Amino acid sequence: MINKLVAYDLLEVKKKLSLAKAKTWYKAGLVEEEQWKGIQADYPSDLYSPTIFMRILLFVATFFGLSTVLGPILLLVADEGIVAIRIMVFIAGVVMIAFTERVMIKDKRHFKSGITEAGYYIGFSFVYFGLMGFGIDEILIYWMMALLFVSIGTIRYMDLLSLVATVVCLVAVLFLSLTSILAFLPFVIMILFGGLFIISQKIQKKTDYLVWEDHFILFDTLALLLVYLGGNYFVVRELSIEMMGLELGEGQDIPMAFLFYGFTFLIPLAYLIWGVRNRSILFIRVSLLVLTLTVFTIKYYYSFAPPEVSITVAGGILILISLVLLKYLKKSRKGFIRDQIIQSKWDNPDLVAVVASQTLGGHQIDQSESSQIGKGGEFGGGGASGDF
């Protein structure tokens, strides 16, 4: 159902993404020249998606170009009052969205080219401000409407920045909606995003993971971070002081401080252990990130040494953990070794089948090698999924 809401041709998107992954395999030496040529023939794509540098240039050029065109138009109705300006802004936004979809996406076959992002960013912004204006006193309404708009952008245009904005808007709506029970907000954040993470894992098994892979990885990462931040002692303490007006004297602490101390220390360890045991590179990476935040939290309230010493020691601990993991995973642990951490990012049963079909009497992909490509893990998120 979600796929029907997407503005892009998902079949062509899948071809393009499959070709990009196969190219990575080719550069890594996992497939040979003849196989690579065969894959290129099987996965032709007419979508235009330039390099990241060119995308930035096209975005900036389109943004300033649209500003140059729309500026004089708005000046024509500037003397007619705020209502006329809002109507004109709304119309301009609708036209911009329609132009982006009909011309750039459907006809010109652009896929995240920089021009498309500029088109719907400006278009949605104009429609938003045309509808909302600046006269609404309740700020929660602005955030709720923004949540709706960025959610649409996330799905319809497969936009990662809109996905980040969706999560930010959701957190803002929670803060503004639960002002009467702010003391329970950390637990609400932890339970909500923990639940959303579980739901995300289930959705990944029912949808085309290749097409939405980056979105799932990004959302899962943000969800795990917010579960941690919801229970982080520094975050809870400082927000309690700022938002609840909590005054703490010397020697005083926030309510249930021991619980948030426990979350701050135990959640990173739980992520790390779960990542190793369940072969999830996502959990391993997030665990190292939140371990860094834990060290910062400790350093902020307790000074055991000068900052430069603390940072050096913290960096040394993280490097030590990484080395221990590399050594631990040097040998196969229930089918999980360190080499598969890289390979699992490229898991895709359809693409593995195509690679196998392109063996023209030269390099043969035997059972052991195909399992190395497609057996990166059994836990969803971060590309660890599937046995082939």
Side-chain angles (χ1 to χ4, degrees):
M1 179 179 178
I2 292 180
N3 292 345
K4 296 180 180 179
L5 302 176
V6 178
Y8 297 108
D9 184 341
L10 286 182
L11 179 60
E12 292 298 320
V13 171
K14 187 173 182 178
K15 288 181 180 180
K16 187 171 186 63
L17 295 176
S18 297
L19 190 63
K21 290 182 180 297
K23 185 177 182 180
T24 303
W25 286 1
Y26 170 65
K27 289 184 176 180
L30 295 175
V31 297
E32 294 187 350
E33 182 74 26
E34 291 181 346
Q35 293 174 300
W36 168 235
K37 291 180 179 179
I39 295 170
Q40 286 179 301
D42 288 338
Y43 282 86
S45 177
D46 60 352
L47 296 181
Y48 174 68
S49 183
T51 62
I52 184 64
F53 180 72
M54 183 59 67
R55 286 172 61 186
I56 295 174
L57 289 179
L58 289 174
F59 178 87
V60 173
T62 304
F63 181 85
F64 283 106
L66 292 175
S67 301
T68 302
V69 172
L70 296 175
I73 296 177
L74 294 178
L75 288 176
L76 294 176
V77 296
D79 297 332
E80 302 299 325
I82 188 64
V83 175
I85 294 176
R86 286 176 57 182
I87 293 174
M88 182 59 67
V89 167
F90 178 84
I91 294 174
V94 172
V95 171
M96 187 52 55
I97 294 173
F99 176 81
T100 301
E101 289 200 12
R102 296 299 305 174
V103 177
M104 303 311 300
I105 294 178
K106 300 296 183 183
D107 296 339
K108 301 298 183 182
R109 311 294 285 173
H110 280 230
F111 174 66
K112 298 184 178 182
S113 63
I115 298 176
T116 53
E117 286 92 332
Y120 60 75
Y121 285 170
I122 296 176
F124 270 65
S125 298
F126 276 31
V127 171
Y128 176 83
F129 288 111
L131 289 174
M132 303 300 294
F134 300 97
I136 301 176
D137 295 330
E138 183 57 63
I139 191 173
L140 176 60
I141 298 178
Y142 284 103
W143 281 106
M144 294 178 67
M145 186 61 70
L147 176 60
L148 174 63
F149 273 62
V150 294
S151 298
I152 294 173
T154 299
I155 297 174
R156 184 153 186 80
Y157 304 107
M158 305 176 67
D159 187 59
L160 295 176
L161 186 58
S162 295
L163 175 58
V164 176
T166 300
V167 175
V168 172
C169 289
L170 179 57
V171 173
V173 169
L174 287 175
F175 268 87
L176 295 172
S177 302
L178 304 177
T179 53
S180 59
I181 54 170
L182 283 178
F184 298 97
L185 187 59
F187 304 104
V188 173
I189 294 290
M190 295 177 71
I191 293 173
L192 174 63
F193 283 97
L196 290 175
F197 177 84
I198 295 174
I199 293 174
S200 172
Q201 302 303 306
K202 295 183 181 298
I203 293 176
Q204 290 176 36
K205 299 176 182 178
K206 299 179 181 179
T207 189
D208 193 336
Y209 183 80
L210 174 64
V211 174
W212 299 98
E213 177 182 12
D214 291 339
H215 300 76
F216 283 128
I217 293 175
L218 179 58
F219 178 79
D220 290 347
T221 301
L222 293 174
L224 292 175
L225 283 174
L226 284 166
V227 170
Y228 170 79
L229 292 175
N232 179 270
Y233 176 82
F234 171 82
V235 174
V236 174
R237 179 186 174 102
E238 296 305 314
L239 287 180
S240 297
I241 295 174
E242 290 295 327
M243 299 186 65
M244 299 176 59
L246 184 65
E247 296 183 1
L248 298 175
E250 186 175 353
Q252 292 182 319
D253 215 333
I254 60 175
M256 297 184 291
F258 68 94
L259 188 61
F260 296 110
Y261 277 126
F263 287 147
T264 303
F265 286 97
L266 295 179
I267 289 179
L269 295 178
Y271 285 174
L272 183 59
I273 294 172
W274 183 273
V276 174
R277 291 179 62 87
N278 293 277
R279 295 172 276 181
S280 172
I281 185 60
L282 175 70
F283 271 88
I284 294 175
R285 287 171 175 166
V286 174
S287 70
L288 295 177
L289 176 59
V290 296
L291 274 172
T292 305
L293 298 178
T294 297
V295 172
F296 171 80
T297 300
I298 298 172
K299 178 61 182 175
Y300 188 83
Y301 295 107
Y302 303 98
S303 180
F304 300 105
E308 57 272 16
V309 176
S310 300
I311 294 174
T312 302
V313 171
I317 292 174
L318 291 175
I319 293 174
L320 180 62
I321 293 174
S322 301
L323 292 175
V324 170
L325 284 175
L326 284 173
K327 185 174 180 61
Y328 177 77
L329 297 174
K330 187 175 183 179
K331 296 181 179 180
S332 178
R333 307 287 179 175
K334 297 182 180 180
F336 184 46
I337 60 176
R338 66 187 187 185
D339 294 333
Q340 290 174 337
I341 290 177
I342 298 175
Q343 293 172 350
S344 65
K345 186 177 182 348
W346 314 113
D347 293 346
N348 181 7
D350 297 333
L351 194 54
V352 172
V354 172
V355 172
S357 71
Q358 296 303 327
T359 55
L360 304 176
H363 176 64
Q364 299 291 326
I365 297 184
D366 58 23
Q367 181 65 30
S368 61
E369 184 174 353
S370 65
S371 65
Q372 285 291 317
I373 294 176
K375 200 172 182 182
E378 298 175 352
F379 190 81
S385 58
D387 297 333
F388 315 123

